Amino acid sequence: MAKQPCENCKLRAHYDKNPHSLMGRFWRWHINFCPGWKGYFTSLDDEKKTELREKYHFTKYQQ
């Protein structure tokens, strides 16, 4: 399986480095409706989803 662009997203790297930066905050807002993030996130196993939910305070796509 090829790596998803979301794994190496430059905006995501900004968030990881400094969540309060303008670019970091933009990325966090952006994942709420990004179809690429949805495809990436929903393709992950439950353990990885839980890890990302906690790290990014992400609550969408819960079952």
Side-chain angles (χ1 to χ4, degrees), residues 4-16 27 30 37:
Q4 298 280 343
C6 297
E7 288 186 45
N8 301 313
C9 176
K10 290 180 182 182
L11 290 177
R12 183 177 174 185
H14 281 281
Y15 182 93
D16 290 342
W27 176 81
H30 172 78
W37 177 260

Side-chain angles (χ1 to χ4, degrees), residues 27-59:
W27 176 81
R28 178 56 191 83
W29 169 78
H30 172 78
I31 66 172
N32 285 312
F33 57 84
C34 176
W37 177 260
K38 181 180 181 180
Y40 167 68
F41 186 81
T42 57
S43 72
L44 299 172
D45 61 51
D46 289 339
E47 185 176 321
K48 186 68 175 173
K49 284 181 188 176
T50 300
E51 179 184 319
L52 292 179
R53 282 187 200 287
E54 291 174 9
K55 182 175 183 178
Y56 298 125
H57 310 287
F58 188 65
T59 59

